Amino acid sequence: MRYTESKEKSAEILRLTLPLMAQHRAAYHPQTYTIWYEHTSGINPRLSNELEQRLARNESLSDDDIWRLHANFVIARDAEALERMHQRLHTLLSDTATAACSAGLEATQFNQTLQIHKSQLTQPLAMDLITDIVAELITDTERMRVVTQELSEQLERSTQEVHQLSEQLKHAEHQAKLDPLTGMLNRRGLEQRIQSFVQDAESLQGGVMLLADIDHFKMLNDTYGHLLGDKVIRSVAQVISESIKGRDIAARIGGEEFAVFLPDTSIEGATILAKRISAATASRTIRRAGTDRSIDRVTISVGVAASTATDTLETLLDRADKAMYAGKQAGRNRVTLYEPSLGALRAQAESPYPPA
């Protein structure tokens, strides 16, 4: 959903929302603010009704409560809006087809009338009969003109509305594939991009999957708070986005987990890229908001798996995931390869690596 409140209005909503958030156990992450923002602004009546019932029972909302409310009343609401747009498009097409069919029947009848009158006019007729024929032709022609005009107006209205709905659908479908925190593809977006790739290339063979996970992220969140945790996620996302090019596909597929598919790439080339991403992440300085103090160095563990002709996204991610977790168990902050031919995982030297 796109919010339309002005800067002044949103500032007032912020002032009202913060005390509400402070009364509950849930952390101050974007989903929490979304829940209370939509409640305070009055734009989500169903959510407000649910919240008011919980508040009446003096319930303190936890992180799990917030995620469920967000899924049931924000994400589901947007999905319903998308479905309504699809339904409206279907109705428009149906109405237009009905109008065209009606106009077609009128045109057929008009043509039949013309043929009858044409046949009549080939014979000698009395003046009063000719006058009747001309009057009937005028009436039928006017009726046909009205039907044609109505159809033209209906088509114009439908065309405009279809265009508007198409633009809304494009925007909604595009937004549904993006992770709101980082702007990267989300899991759904990754699945669709991989599906399109497979349709064009026939298989995933020749590509490599990188799966990166931020080390000790829960500890980082607990130590510095969720706002800084979000900042770390955005920082890693930026490193990854700046490191890929061309047909490479990157996505945030979990809380602190990122996937990168590299088409037509050797395992050696993918490993070099994984090392660059790891080194760039570790070299970044992330400062706490409002201070000059930086947090401890952020590192990532990266699993690398080469694709085969029979791979699906799930099987390829699974091997990269196994490699990544092997790297975690080996001490974190490293790139780990999955090599089926060796029947084992091979961990590379610890990061940071020298830049290429």
Side-chain angles (χ1 to χ4, degrees), residues 5 22-23 32 43 74 94 102 110 114 124 127 147 165-167 180 186 232 234 236 256 295 305 341 354:
E5 289 76 20
Q23 296 172 19
T32 304
I43 61 177
V74 177
S94 178
S102 176
F110 184 55
L114 291 177
M127 183 58 66
V147 169
L165 285 170
S166 296
E167 290 300 314
N186 57 21
V232 169
R234 286 194 295 267
V236 175
E256 64 271 20
I295 65 172
S341 60

Side-chain angles (χ1 to χ4, degrees), residues 48-299:
S48 293
N49 182 59
E50 178 69 18
L51 282 173
E52 286 164 2
Q53 291 183 33
R54 289 171 178 255
L55 294 176
R57 298 193 296 266
N58 293 318
E59 291 185 16
S60 177
L61 300 180
S62 65
D63 285 334
D64 288 341
D65 292 327
I66 288 295
W67 282 107
R68 281 192 290 270
L69 288 169
H70 190 267
N72 293 335
F73 295 98
V74 177
I75 296 176
R77 183 269 318 277
D78 293 341
E80 289 171 4
L82 191 63
E83 178 60 29
R84 285 196 298 271
M85 283 190 280
H86 278 291
Q87 185 58 44
R88 181 56 187 152
L89 275 172
H90 181 272
T91 301
L92 274 172
L93 291 174
S94 178
D95 290 347
T96 303
T98 300
C101 180
S102 176
L105 290 174
E106 288 286 349
T108 299
Q109 293 174 0
F110 184 55
N111 181 61
Q112 292 173 347
T113 299
L114 291 177
Q115 293 300 323
I116 292 171
H117 291 326
K118 177 182 176 182
S119 177
Q120 290 175 330
L121 291 172
T122 59
Q123 307 295 326
L125 298 173
M127 183 58 66
D128 57 345
L129 186 55
I130 293 175
T131 300
D132 291 341
I133 291 174
V134 170
E136 188 175 347
L137 281 172
I138 291 173
T139 300
D140 290 343
T141 301
E142 176 61 20
R143 186 175 68 251
M144 194 64 218
R145 185 194 67 78
V146 170
V147 169
T148 303
Q149 183 176 349
E150 289 176 349
L151 176 61
S152 177
E153 291 172 353
Q154 169 74 26
L155 289 174
E156 184 176 356
R157 287 193 301 270
S158 297
T159 299
Q160 292 175 351
E161 189 166 358
V162 165
H163 178 73
Q164 292 173 354
L165 285 170
S166 296
E167 290 300 314
Q168 292 172 11
L169 280 170
K170 282 183 196 175
H171 178 75
E173 289 174 352
H174 178 68
Q175 291 300 114
K177 300 173 190 175
L178 297 181
D179 169 48
L181 181 61
T182 64
M184 301 178 81
L185 294 174
N186 57 21
R187 179 61 181 255
R188 178 185 176 190
L190 174 67
E191 290 172 350
Q192 292 193 0
R193 286 284 297 277
I194 290 292
Q195 184 179 18
S196 297
F197 177 85
V198 171
Q199 288 175 348
D200 293 338
E202 297 183 356
S203 78
L204 294 174
Q205 188 170 22
V208 179
M209 180 66 75
L210 310 182
L211 193 65
D213 187 87
I214 301 172
D215 294 327
H216 300 296
F217 186 74
K218 184 179 185 305
M219 183 187 302
L220 188 152
N221 253 347
D222 292 343
T223 303
Y224 300 106
H226 287 273
L227 288 179
L228 195 132
D230 289 345
K231 191 173 183 179
V232 169
I233 289 173
R234 286 194 295 267
S235 177
V236 175
Q238 185 178 9
V239 169
I240 292 173
S241 298
E242 291 174 350
S243 301
I244 63 174
K245 60 183 179 180
R247 295 194 299 157
D248 299 343
I249 305 170
R252 179 188 176 206
I253 61 172
E256 64 271 20
E257 199 168 57
F258 301 85
V260 182
F261 179 68
L262 307 169
D264 303 321
T265 303
S266 66
I267 195 74
E268 294 79 12
T271 302
I272 291 171
L273 178 61
K275 291 178 179 181
R276 288 178 185 168
I277 293 172
S278 180
T281 299
S283 66
R284 286 206 163 192
T285 299
I286 300 177
R287 301 190 184 280
R288 301 176 66 177
T291 72
D292 292 331
R293 297 173 58 190
S294 60
I295 65 172
D296 296 335
R297 187 181 68 175
V298 175
T299 64

Side-chain angles (χ1 to χ4, degrees), residues 1-61:
M1 176 176 179
R2 184 170 184 172
Y3 300 107
T4 59
E5 289 76 20
S6 65
K7 183 176 182 180
E8 293 74 17
K9 176 65 174 176
S10 60
E12 177 63 13
I13 293 172
L14 173 63
R15 186 185 68 79
L16 297 172
T17 297
L18 288 177
L20 293 173
M21 294 172 65
Q23 296 172 19
H24 299 270
R25 290 174 290 149
Y28 296 89
H29 47 59
Q31 287 75 20
T32 304
Y33 185 62
T34 299
I35 291 297
W36 291 108
Y37 183 98
E38 296 205 0
H39 170 61
T40 304
S41 61
I43 61 177
N44 195 330
R46 291 176 59 201
L47 170 63
S48 293
N49 182 59
E50 178 69 18
L51 282 173
E52 286 164 2
Q53 291 183 33
R54 289 171 178 255
L55 294 176
R57 298 193 296 266
N58 293 318
E59 291 185 16
S60 177
L61 300 180

